[in-house]
Amino acid sequence: MTDIGAREQTGNNLFRLRGERKRVFLTQLPLSLIMAVAVLIAAAIYPQSFQQPLFVAALVMHVLLLLASFAVPWERLPPAAVLVIPYLDFIAVGLFRGGNQQFLTAVGLLIFFPVFWLASSGMAKRTSVAVSVVAALLIVWLPLVMSPDALTIEQLVRPLLFPIVVLAYATTVVAVTNTMNIQRKTLEAKDVQLRAALESSQQRERLLETVVDTVAVGLVVVDAEGHDMLMNATQRALHTYALPEDVSDPQEKELLVFAVDAISPVAAEERPVRRAIRGEEFTNYQVWLGAGDKARAVSTAARPMKDEQGRFDGAVIAFHDVTDMMAALEAKNDFVANVSHEFRTPLTSIRGYLDLVLEESAELPQDIHGYLDIASRNVDRLSSLVADLLTTDSVTLELTRTDVVQLVADSLASATPMAERNKVTLSSQVQAPLAAFIDSRRIGQVLDNLVSNAVKYSPDGGTVSVSVTAKGADLWCQVQDSGMGMNSDEQAQAFSKFFRARSAVQRSIPGIGLGLMISKTIVAKHGGTISLLSKKGAGTTVSFVLPGCLSPAARTPGRGPAGEAARQDAP
């Protein structure tokens, strides 16, 4: 049985963790040392005591008990086996008292050593107390009984105080030991709980560190004073880019942090970490770390931490490396610009030849003349699209009185060939007559974009309807289809530059993802709004409103919607 197992069975053992044999020896040693002192006193004062058989027997017995306490492998024996030593100590103390009455007094007090041992053992508590009292009685009564003189009641009663003291002492030791055992068990239970909580906390900490080091976003956690509490592996790697080569331990203001242009240094107080320490909350705050070819562009975000009272208690700052993304966007913009420039030459040639043919339109059949008009208008549209690819943020408006009915009819006519290929039915509901002061070319471009998208994203057939109504001075337009539709995530990005739905890409539907973005810009320049509502597999509805374009103020020469100048340029 192991030491810990024995301790759990006995319920108390103050020294068992130090080894059972060593514990027994150390418990017996104090009594043996006192016996050794008594031997020295006897040798010096009363050497004839060594001729007393009881005295010699007591010494021999103490020596044997001391040797047994050290030599016997107590850990291999039952826990109660060690109580043999204190029980035999009672006999040794009794023999010692009986053999040295001539020169030592109060020898009987040595009984308190085995009494303490038994009472504090926690084993056979009542038996230990009873044996202690009986042993005390025998020690004080045995010499009287063995005396040749006549025994009286007074002689028996006179030493009874000593056994009573032993009884009180043993009882007190048992009670204190029980209390200590209860407290020890409580502490051990709490220790087990604390160790389990510590192990669980350490496990969660290791898990958190592993997760934090796994993510590809740099993370920094600072306390309220700005001291780093945590920095993951990704951030440590990003931090090296900001270290100047000639400074071994740079301060915050010495780090290489630059603005969006990658040239202008960012002031120390405007750097992401310093802003976060001031309690600021921000998203997509872009800076450059490092200089030269090794510089990295990072998008940063920060969120403050609050304590229970709502006071600032630190912050978490995220650093997302967007260098590759920026390079990809720049490459895409360069590609679009180059392709757009290449489109201009063939478009100019097509435009010229169409003009030559249209000059002889009187000699052409009526239907051919109509086809050429549609082709000419789409060349103009494509030329505008090429210009928009180069400067998608720049839209110029030229407001004129426009027949909205004809504008819708032209858009549907342009989409008819594709609609026939996709087996899509086109329809319109326009309140006629309806004239609005708008940029006819730009709003025609919006209608063309919306109608062509509706037809294009209805590859399995269906219907596309255009409705235009007047509500007061506002023009409301709606293009609805029964095509593929979009999910909620795709709807949220529908007006983003170069965005295309996954389903459109998978079915190889042509497009570059600029139509809705350009349409939104044109409508916004008219002071209007555009919205999209869609359901996957159930079609899409795009609506836009042009406010004030039907009001008398909009007809004022040189004025546009909402009193703006009729010609509007991007800032």
Side-chain angles (χ1 to χ4, degrees):
M1 182 181 297
T2 62
D3 292 341
I4 296 178
R7 180 181 65 177
E8 292 176 349
Q9 288 189 10
T10 61
N12 82 89
N13 197 323
L14 301 179
F15 307 101
R16 189 173 295 277
L17 288 178
R18 303 182 63 179
E20 189 67 8
R21 188 181 305 183
K22 188 174 183 179
R23 184 193 70 83
V24 174
F25 175 75
L26 292 177
T27 307
Q28 179 66 16
L29 185 60
L31 179 59
S32 299
L33 291 177
I34 293 177
M35 293 296 297
V37 173
V39 170
L40 293 177
I41 295 174
I45 300 176
Y46 198 75
Q48 57 269 33
S49 61
F50 289 96
Q51 298 175 2
Q52 297 288 335
L54 295 180
F55 184 81
V56 175
L59 295 182
V60 173
M61 193 170 183
H62 276 295
V63 171
L64 292 177
L65 289 175
L66 181 63
L67 293 175
S69 66
F70 181 77
V72 175
W74 300 105
E75 61 275 1
R76 300 179 183 178
L77 301 176
V82 298
L83 298 183
V84 172
I85 300 294
Y87 283 135
L88 293 177
D89 279 339
F90 285 129
I91 298 175
V93 171
L95 295 175
F96 189 72
R97 182 176 184 274
N100 67 91
Q101 295 184 22
Q102 297 85 351
F103 71 96
L104 286 177
T105 60
V107 173
L109 294 179
L110 294 178
I111 196 177
F112 284 103
F113 286 94
V115 169
F116 177 80
W117 191 338
L118 288 175
S120 64
S121 67
M123 295 178 286
K125 302 173 185 177
R126 295 178 181 177
T127 302
S128 299
V129 173
V131 170
S132 299
V133 174
V134 171
L137 286 172
L138 292 177
I139 287 176
V140 297
W141 279 354
L142 192 59
L144 298 176
V145 174
M146 295 178 63
S147 174
D149 299 333
L151 184 64
T152 64
I153 297 298
E154 182 182 358
Q155 289 177 323
L156 292 176
V157 174
R158 188 185 304 167
L160 282 181
L161 182 61
F162 180 69
I164 294 174
V165 171
V166 171
L167 173 63
Y169 175 75
T171 304
T172 302
V173 172
V174 168
V176 171
T177 302
N178 287 337
T179 303
M180 292 178 62
N181 286 338
I182 293 173
Q183 293 176 347
R184 177 181 57 80
K185 289 179 180 179
T186 303
L187 291 175
E188 287 178 350
K190 290 183 178 179
D191 180 66
V192 171
Q193 294 176 355
L194 289 175
R195 288 180 182 275
L198 177 61
E199 182 178 356
S200 177
S201 176
Q202 290 174 339
Q203 183 179 6
R204 288 195 297 269
E205 183 179 358
R206 291 191 297 269
L207 176 62
L208 177 62
E209 290 178 353
T210 303
V211 171
V212 169
D213 283 339
T214 301
V215 298
V217 176
L219 293 175
V220 176
V221 180
V222 296
D223 59 19
E225 286 73 35
H227 302 128
D228 289 348
M229 298 174 59
L230 182 147
M231 180 183 294
N232 69 345
T234 302
Q235 180 55 25
R236 287 193 292 271
L238 286 175
H239 186 69
T240 58
Y241 292 103
L243 299 177
E245 296 181 356
D246 54 345
V247 181
S248 58
D249 186 18
Q251 298 179 359
E252 175 69 25
K253 62 181 180 181
E254 297 174 319
L255 295 176
L256 302 178
V257 182
F258 300 95
V260 179
D261 59 6
I263 298 175
S264 306
V266 177
E269 291 301 318
E270 295 303 318
R271 297 181 178 185
V273 176
R274 297 304 305 172
R275 289 183 59 186
I277 294 173
R278 293 201 301 268
E280 295 186 33
E281 179 177 335
F282 54 86
T283 301
N284 197 26
Y285 177 52
Q286 185 175 318
V287 295
W288 283 82
L289 302 181
D293 296 337
K294 296 182 179 180
R296 307 297 294 180
V298 294
S299 176
T300 66
R303 296 292 183 273
M305 297 186 297
K306 304 290 185 179
D307 60 14
E308 296 179 354
Q309 287 73 37
R311 295 172 299 190
F312 178 74
D313 195 34
V316 179
I317 308 97
F319 292 75
H320 185 202
D321 190 341
V322 295
T323 308
D324 295 338
M325 183 186 301
M326 293 186 64
L329 289 175
E330 185 176 354
K332 182 194 291 185
N333 291 335
D334 291 341
F335 171 77
V336 171
N338 291 333
V339 171
S340 300
H341 281 295
E342 293 298 327
F343 278 173
R344 282 184 168 179
T345 299
L347 283 174
T348 302
S349 177
I350 295 171
R351 171 79 272 170
Y353 282 108
L354 281 174
D355 289 342
L356 289 175
V357 174
L358 289 172
E359 288 178 359
E360 307 294 335
S361 60
E363 302 176 2
L364 297 175
Q366 186 63 32
D367 55 346
I368 299 299
H369 187 277
Y371 296 154
L372 291 175
D373 284 340
I374 293 174
S376 176
R377 195 167 63 82
N378 279 279
V379 167
D380 291 340
R381 177 191 171 196
L382 187 56
S383 298
S384 298
L385 179 59
V386 169
D388 291 335
L389 285 172
L390 292 174
T391 55
T392 54
D393 292 331
S394 176
V395 174
T396 300
L397 300 184
E398 295 182 0
L399 304 182
T400 59
R401 182 181 179 85
T402 302
D403 184 355
V404 179
V405 177
Q406 186 61 43
L407 206 62
V408 173
D410 290 343
S411 292
L412 294 178
S414 298
T416 298
M418 182 186 298
E420 292 177 350
R421 288 195 299 270
N422 286 3
K423 299 180 181 181
V424 173
T425 301
L426 301 177
S427 65
S428 65
Q429 296 178 350
V430 183
Q431 177 182 332
L434 188 60
F437 277 83
I438 55 177
D439 188 320
S440 59
R441 183 174 66 87
R442 290 297 186 180
I443 296 301
Q445 183 179 353
V446 172
L447 288 171
D448 287 343
N449 284 338
L450 300 183
V451 173
S452 64
N453 277 351
V455 174
K456 184 166 54 176
Y457 294 113
S458 301
D460 301 321
T463 59
V464 173
S465 62
V466 180
S467 62
V468 180
T469 58
K471 294 184 179 181
D474 301 338
L475 183 69
W476 289 66
C477 181
Q478 184 180 85
V479 179
Q480 184 175 15
D481 66 70
S482 58
M484 300 164 55
M486 293 183 288
N487 59 35
S488 57
D489 292 337
E490 292 170 338
Q491 291 181 59
Q493 304 179 67
F495 293 99
S496 301
K497 189 175 183 180
F498 299 114
F499 171 76
R500 302 201 65 220
R502 181 181 296 273
S503 56
V505 176
Q506 291 174 343
R507 300 192 62 167
S508 301
I509 296 176
I512 59 175
L514 283 176
L516 286 178
M517 188 276 295
I518 293 173
S519 298
K520 182 178 181 180
T521 302
I522 293 172
V523 171
K525 283 295 180 180
H526 281 80
T529 58
I530 188 170
S531 61
L532 181 146
L533 181 63
S534 183
K535 185 177 181 180
K536 192 70 173 179
T540 301
T541 300
V542 181
S543 306
F544 65 88
V545 181
L546 304 180
C549 63
L550 304 178
S551 67
R555 299 187 180 95
T556 303
R559 304 297 296 175
E564 295 181 359
R567 181 179 179 87
Q568 301 178 13
D569 296 324

